[in-house]
Amino acid sequence: MSRFRPGRVLGISVGTLVILMIGVYGPATLLGPLPSATVTVTAPTSAVPASTPVLPAAGSSGLLAVTAVDDTATDDTATGGDAAEPAPATLGVDTIAIGGGNDPVPMASAAKIITALVVLDAKPLAAGEPGPAYSLVTADYQDYLDYTAQDARTVIVFPGESWTEREMLQAMILGSSNNHADTLARWAFGSVEAYLTAANAWLAANGMPNTTVVDANGLLDGSAGTGTDLARVAGLAATNPVIADIIAQPASALVGQRGVRNTTEYLPEEGITGISRSYTDSGGVCFLFTGTVVAGEKAFTFAGAFLGEPDYDTLTADLTALMASARAGVTELPILAEGDGYATLTTAWGDSADAVVATPKTRFGWQAAAGTDPVVTLDDVTTGRAGAKIGRVTVDAFGESVSSTLELDTSLTDPGPGWRLLHPVPVVSALVASW
């Protein structure tokens, strides 16, 4: 008859447990996955210093990037490293600089450029095409008489004569015709009041919340905005093919051989293309424009708005100073510089490596302010050799998304069996997380 021996049973149980632990613990720690490295996003050390634009102290002013032409950096996402296509002329989202006050101020005839954009949004027109014709009515002629009596800018009209959409736009943009602003508003929307409702909704929808229009031509002080908003209006006009074509090809005569003097041109020798230039007693001189800096085969264009300039001598001096600062500040910028680190990876066993830019990306432009925060996307990394591709970094530059691959600057090595056996918790946790 056998006797029950508790000690023997306990020994067998402990031995079995030890065998099981050795059979499971060893493979789990020695062969299981390692925990991913922790990631700390960092700022690059070779940031390009800003070059401050010279803007008026009075009134309200703003500059907005319009176009960045030519891309000499290779796109490392292309097979075989093919060169990227040049960036098209587009309106950017990067505000270069803001000057003067932040409160809305009267915009004078800059309101007519809003009228042109809103009308073209409702009545699209191809560049160079005349568009539909409109027979002027008594109200259009009366507007001409009333504005002429107020000594406001007009282009003569007569009841019953026919004007195409393009001709009306030419008279309003080039001749700063106040009567044609009202005519276009009525023609496109049925009434000036209906136009104003549409125009203010358009301003809000297009990112200009601090600008309001109460008339189609800007003679009323209630049509007011900020330099930042009106710089965006200038940029939208400059990239609108119809408006850009009208400004580039000033008409010497319209209906009935009526001459229209171009009121927009100002300081073209400085690289400035005028879009709207006007003066009112309360608003002072208001000027919407683009400025272009050319270096070799590259060009950078920005849109600008100067509101509330006291006189034309001051406008000339301020524009000359601005363009001098632009020529000094526009250059080839290392948007993503080779070797710049955007993240640090640290392993549980103490190895560390930086995620650095593999392929440099440059843009010809004006670094007048700090850029947007970079977006860093990384793979889960445990180990890897130096140069291994582990993710991407993306930044916005002059309204364009610029991206490059990130790679390890040094190797992250396997910690070896000793560390694995002595650190079961992170290893087993990684194993569980992989299931």
Side-chain angles (χ1 to χ4, degrees):
M1 180 177 179
S2 63
R3 298 179 60 186
F4 175 72
R5 299 178 180 178
R8 183 179 180 183
V9 172
L10 179 60
I12 292 172
S13 298
V14 171
T16 302
L17 181 60
V18 169
I19 292 171
L20 288 172
M21 288 181 66
I22 293 173
V24 174
Y25 177 78
T29 54
L30 294 174
L31 302 177
L34 290 166
S36 298
T38 58
V39 175
T40 303
V41 176
T42 59
T45 58
S46 62
V48 180
S51 176
T52 304
V54 177
L55 291 175
S60 182
S61 55
L63 303 178
L64 181 76
V66 172
T67 176
V69 177
D70 190 69
D71 180 5
T72 57
T74 58
D75 182 355
D76 59 358
T77 63
T79 303
D82 293 338
E85 291 295 323
T90 56
L91 179 63
V93 295
D94 293 345
T95 298
I96 297 175
I98 301 171
N102 296 319
D103 295 330
V105 295
M107 69 175 79
S109 284
K112 293 168 186 166
I113 303 304
I114 295 174
T115 300
L117 289 165
V118 176
V119 167
L120 284 168
D121 192 52
K123 303 286 188 180
L125 183 64
E129 294 296 321
Y134 167 67
S135 294
L136 273 61
V137 298
T138 302
D140 303 310
Y141 181 61
Q142 189 61 52
D143 280 341
Y144 163 69
L145 296 176
D146 292 342
Y147 288 128
T148 299
Q150 297 171 30
D151 201 25
R153 287 188 182 277
T154 59
V155 172
I156 188 170
V157 297
F158 297 101
E161 67 181 3
S162 180
W163 287 66
T164 66
E165 180 179 359
R166 180 181 174 87
E167 288 173 334
M168 290 188 286
L169 288 166
Q170 286 176 310
M172 182 180 69
I173 295 171
L174 298 175
S176 195
S177 174
N178 290 289
N179 53 300
H180 279 86
D182 286 353
T183 293
L184 276 164
R186 281 192 297 266
W187 169 73
F189 294 94
S191 68
V192 173
E193 291 72 21
Y195 159 75
L196 293 174
T197 299
N200 285 304
W202 181 90
L203 286 165
N206 283 274
M208 290 163 275
N210 298 312
T211 296
T212 303
V213 290
V214 298
D215 59 4
N217 48 38
L219 288 174
L220 299 178
D221 293 349
S223 288
T226 62
T228 305
D229 282 359
L230 271 298
R232 183 161 184 81
V233 170
L236 289 170
T239 55
N240 182 286
V242 175
I243 297 176
D245 183 59
I246 287 174
I247 292 173
Q249 302 181 57
S252 59
L254 296 174
V255 173
Q257 300 302 309
R258 248 152 280 157
V260 173
R261 184 169 63 88
N262 181 13
T263 64
T264 67
E265 186 177 70
Y266 204 71
L267 298 181
E269 67 276 9
E270 289 285 347
I272 293 172
T273 299
I275 296 171
S276 172
R277 178 168 57 91
S278 56
Y279 173 86
T280 62
D281 290 339
S282 57
V285 178
C286 297
F287 187 50
L288 303 189
F289 62 96
T290 62
T292 300
V293 174
V294 178
E297 296 182 354
K298 298 180 181 181
F300 177 76
T301 299
F302 57 90
F306 283 7
L307 308 177
E309 291 278 76
D311 51 53
Y312 279 104
D313 287 342
T314 303
L315 176 66
T316 299
D318 286 344
L319 287 171
T320 302
L322 169 66
M323 293 308 296
S325 68
R327 287 187 289 272
V330 173
T331 186
E332 192 73 36
L333 300 171
I335 302 301
L336 293 171
E338 184 175 8
D340 267 359
Y342 282 86
T344 297
L345 291 81
T346 305
T347 66
W349 53 96
D351 279 358
S352 180
D354 288 335
V356 300
V357 172
T359 304
K361 295 297 180 69
T362 64
R363 291 295 183 272
F364 184 72
W366 196 352
Q367 184 72 19
T372 59
D373 291 335
V375 176
V376 176
T377 304
L378 295 177
D379 302 329
D380 286 334
V381 177
T382 54
T383 62
R385 294 180 178 179
K389 303 298 189 287
I390 60 169
R392 298 192 71 79
V393 59
T394 303
V395 296
D396 287 332
F398 315 124
E400 178 188 4
S401 181
V402 181
S403 180
S404 184
T405 299
L406 292 174
E407 64 184 18
L408 292 175
D409 69 336
T410 58
S411 296
L412 297 175
T413 59
D414 190 296
W419 185 91
R420 287 173 174 268
L421 289 170
L422 294 175
H423 297 83
V425 173
V427 176
V428 173
S429 297
L431 177 62
V432 172
S434 67
W435 290 347

